[in-house]
Amino acid sequence: MIKIFDTTLRDGEQAPGYSMNLSEKIEMAFQLEKLGVDIIEAGFAIASKGDFNSVVEVAKLIKNAEVASLSRALKKDIDASAEALKHAAYPRIHTFIATSDIHMKYKLQKTEQDILEITAEMVKYAKKFCQSIEFSAEDATRSRPEFLYKVLEQAIKSGATVLNIPDTVGYTSPLEIYNLIKGIKENVRGIENVDLSIHCHNDLGMGVANTLSAIQAGANQVECTINGIGERAGNAALEEIIMNLKTRPDVYPYQTNINTQEIYPTSKLLTNLTGVKVQPNKAIVGDNAFAHESGIHQHGMLSNKLTYEIMTPKSIGLADKRMVLGKHSGKHAFVDRLHELGFKFPENDVNSLFDSFKSLADKKKNVTDLDIQLLAMRRNVQVPQTYKLDCFVINSGNTITTTSSMKLIYTNLITNESEVLEEVASSYYGPIDASYHAIDHLIGKAFVLEDFLISAVTGGTDAQGEVYVKLKNIEGNIYNGYGISVDIVEASILAYLSAINNMVFEENR
Ligand code: KIV
Ligand code: ZN
């Protein structure tokens, strides 16, 4: 059995553009648990107050997976991790120190002897707080193997239960990592009593290939991220590793606890939360990963899907785009379809979801499985709607100044009292700018629009448009928002309001 250690919330989140607030991290952690990962690295507790709090909250809420917090090999880091993990059902302290000559000399100014001593001391120290201790030899792939073996042996003697081999700068090759892992298995005393883990970065585009090679050499834990997000070129992508194992069991006869049908929902959730889309040709989860455009391929697919399809969209939980329901479909059919797509909601949520479906079906003739999947996935991640769109009217054209009349319902999060807010704003730059000004006036705040991304969910002029925004408030905090509608101005307004609602929710936690 290969254990899957997900570091989307730590190594992934620390990459520029991927920051998530606390509620977003909690949503992601729940989805990772549903996906079936064995360990969730929730953050680097000492790095910031935000990181500390997310480790605390994820640790409190996650019941099946182990929750890990990263710590340098320093007492104060380990203390912070131990404190943050206090309420975890299964806590893991993850501590690391570099073992390559270049890191020891220029970054740490430490000798090999120093590193051996610190490893022993810090692993023993961490062991006082919990049973599960992971030790990482940073830059392991550029370390002298003989020295690496000594450090790993020391970590085992001091109580480490998992030894992680990071390819920190994405430098290794499949054959080289295979030999390194084999060497560790043959030369490190006690290795058979601990888990051996691999952590590959993707600087040369080899993260997944190197990870698979390490598994073949005997690694039984892999560290990876959803959509391969992470520092620089990212980390090895979970979905690619898993679908390699699943699609080629003849080459990789290994099992994991991952429910592959949760891969697409997890990838999409991360995109929705961070507003960063994967490239269209990204393996497994890219928009084109299952699209067959060429005539020859389409002909082959029609005769027999196996001609060009090595795995099915369904196996990763991607609903197909065919029409299933329309405006005359009843609630029963809708709920059945939701269940078939893997969603189960309490009655209240189903009712409001059905209302959303009905209003979508009024505007869009063909409501596809993908449309329904997106509606349902969004329902999972909504924070309270402090500001809810009631209606808007736009007057626009290429020869006039655009005006937007906006009506919102404001609900106080504490008293639950509501009031109607109305405002009209104008802009030379069109309906979205005018609408955003109207909202800014209504809530009495101004934001910098750091990012705005719009795309069509399916083909056709009646396709739903998805909008992602990143807003920066006056304190410099970034909030992500997502909106979806057949009307792209409405989708843009919904995305803006969703970012604002995220901000209000965070500020009132
Ligand atoms: O890439 C790396 O070396 C890491 C370690 C801290 C595990 O992320
Ligand atoms: Zn890393």
Side-chain angles (χ1 to χ4, degrees):
M1 180 68 77
I2 305 293
K3 293 183 187 168
I4 304 297
F5 177 115
D6 181 276
T7 183
T8 305
L9 296 176
R10 198 278 297 169
D11 224 351
E13 204 256 354
Q14 80 195 36
Y18 290 98
S19 64
M20 285 173 254
N21 62 35
L22 184 54
S23 47
E24 290 165 341
K25 284 186 188 170
I26 291 171
E27 285 302 335
M28 196 64 211
F30 277 133
Q31 180 58 35
L32 289 170
E33 193 172 44
K34 199 165 168 206
L35 175 66
V37 308
D38 301 282
I39 303 105
I40 297 173
E41 189 161 53
F44 190 172
I46 194 133
S48 67
K49 205 163 159 258
D51 254 52
F52 182 86
N53 288 341
S54 39
V55 179
V56 172
E57 295 304 321
V58 171
K60 276 187 196 157
L61 294 166
I62 293 299
K63 296 287 170 248
N64 300 321
E66 273 189 55
V67 177
S69 169
L70 186 68
S71 344
R72 287 163 300 180
L74 294 173
K75 277 192 176 165
K76 61 176 180 178
D77 284 37
I78 294 171
D79 287 340
S81 285
E83 178 63 24
L85 291 169
K86 202 158 72 180
H87 300 292
Y90 304 103
R92 175 181 294 190
I93 295 178
H94 178 190
T95 186
F96 73 97
I97 193 158
T99 50
S100 64
D101 288 346
I102 187 162
H103 276 232
M104 288 188 295
K105 181 165 174 202
Y106 294 103
K107 189 178 81 171
L108 301 173
Q109 281 109 35
K110 302 245 182 270
T111 63
E112 289 191 346
Q113 190 52 35
D114 295 333
I115 299 295
L116 283 166
E117 283 165 18
I118 296 169
T119 300
E121 196 191 339
M122 289 303 117
V123 171
K124 278 184 200 150
Y125 185 68
K127 196 76 183 178
K128 290 189 189 151
F129 300 101
C130 66
Q131 164 57 25
S132 177
I133 305 296
E134 174 165 335
F135 171 78
S136 285
E138 192 190 10
D139 207 17
T141 52
R142 293 192 301 167
S143 305
R144 270 195 323 107
E146 285 66 32
F147 175 58
L148 182 63
Y149 301 155
K150 278 197 204 156
V151 179
L152 296 176
E153 206 163 292
Q154 187 61 262
I156 297 175
K157 271 200 235 150
S158 311
T161 48
V162 184
L163 297 182
N164 183 37
I165 309 303
D167 183 26
T168 303
V169 290
Y171 181 73
T172 197
S173 74
L175 188 56
E176 193 175 62
I177 195 74
Y178 184 93
N179 289 332
L180 181 63
I181 296 291
K182 270 259 175 288
I184 291 170
K185 290 206 75 100
E186 282 159 14
N187 293 291
V188 175
R189 245 170 306 162
I191 194 76
E192 62 287 358
N193 303 321
V194 298
D195 286 336
L196 182 55
S197 170
I198 182 75
H199 175 116
C200 292
H201 280 267
N202 204 29
D203 298 64
L204 291 171
M206 301 301 282
V208 171
N210 290 333
T211 302
L212 292 169
S213 198
I215 293 175
Q216 288 180 305
N220 68 332
Q221 174 180 292
V222 300
E223 304 201 349
C224 45
T225 59
I226 302 300
N227 297 344
I229 71 168
E231 294 265 28
R232 309 180 308 278
N235 289 56
L238 179 145
E239 60 280 3
E240 295 178 24
I241 298 167
I242 295 300
M243 292 314 285
N244 267 278
L245 300 185
K246 186 172 163 96
T247 310
R248 297 302 309 275
D250 51 333
V251 181
Y252 309 111
Y254 311 100
Q255 303 297 318
T256 70
N257 286 321
I258 296 294
N259 172 4
T260 62
Q261 297 213 352
E262 289 299 330
I263 284 181
Y264 182 75
T266 313
S267 161
K268 189 71 189 164
L269 174 65
L270 182 65
T271 298
N272 287 353
L273 294 177
T274 60
V276 187
K277 282 195 103 174
V278 297
Q279 83 223 37
N281 62 327
K282 161 90 174 63
I284 319 296
V285 291
D287 281 352
N288 295 346
F290 291 93
H292 297 273
E293 290 293 334
S294 94
I296 296 176
H297 285 207
Q298 285 177 349
H299 178 249
M301 287 283 289
L302 287 174
S303 321
N304 182 338
K305 284 200 164 192
L306 293 180
T307 48
Y308 287 103
E309 195 170 78
I310 57 166
M311 57 197 159
T312 62
K314 196 163 180 267
S315 66
I316 63 155
L318 173 59
D320 76 45
K321 296 183 181 178
R322 75 203 147 90
M323 185 192 84
V324 282
L325 299 174
K327 70 176 177 186
H328 299 298
S329 307
K331 190 169 154 198
H332 237 89
F334 176 71
V335 173
D336 277 357
R337 201 63 209 144
L338 270 183
H339 285 174
E340 276 162 31
L341 292 170
F343 295 101
K344 290 208 172 60
F345 292 103
E347 189 61 20
N348 268 353
D349 282 2
V350 170
N351 290 339
S352 79
L353 210 48
F354 185 60
D355 290 343
S356 312
F357 160 72
K358 276 291 187 191
S359 61
L360 178 61
D362 271 340
K363 296 177 190 151
K364 189 173 189 286
K365 206 166 77 195
N366 300 340
V367 179
T368 66
D369 276 358
L370 193 57
D371 288 319
I372 295 173
Q373 190 174 37
L374 291 176
L375 271 180
M377 276 164 28
R378 210 46 218 160
R379 182 70 37 190
N380 277 331
V381 297
Q382 272 179 10
V383 301
Q385 295 198 54
T386 309
Y387 294 98
K388 188 167 188 282
L389 177 65
D390 184 56
C391 59
F392 66 97
V393 176
I394 302 283
N395 186 24
S396 184
N398 61 353
T399 54
I400 56 167
T401 302
T402 302
T403 55
S404 170
S405 314
M406 185 70 56
K407 191 165 155 192
L408 304 180
I409 313 284
Y410 165 75
T411 307
N412 187 305
L413 277 183
I414 298 155
T415 62
N416 223 18
E417 280 167 12
S418 295
E419 67 176 292
V420 175
L421 309 174
E422 285 183 85
E423 177 72 33
V424 180
S426 59
S427 165
Y428 292 116
Y429 305 111
I432 296 171
D433 193 49
S435 302
Y436 286 6
H437 279 313
I439 295 172
D440 287 354
H441 293 165
L442 282 177
I443 68 168
K445 288 198 171 153
F447 302 94
V448 177
L449 186 61
E450 288 274 302
D451 209 353
F452 180 94
L453 199 86
I454 186 161
S455 57
V457 172
T458 53
T461 50
D462 68 348
Q464 293 200 88
E466 285 185 295
V467 174
Y468 301 97
V469 297
K470 275 189 200 301
L471 300 189
K472 183 149 92 181
N473 69 2
I474 196 146
E475 289 86 26
N477 299 324
I478 303 271
Y479 297 93
N480 300 316
Y482 172 80
I484 181 166
S485 166
V486 286
D487 176 334
I488 56 169
V489 177
E490 182 172 53
S492 308
I493 294 170
L494 293 173
Y496 201 72
L497 290 175
S498 117
I500 291 170
N501 288 332
N502 276 333
M503 177 190 74
V504 177
F505 184 62
E506 275 302 303
E507 287 175 351
N508 286 282
R509 280 184 80 93

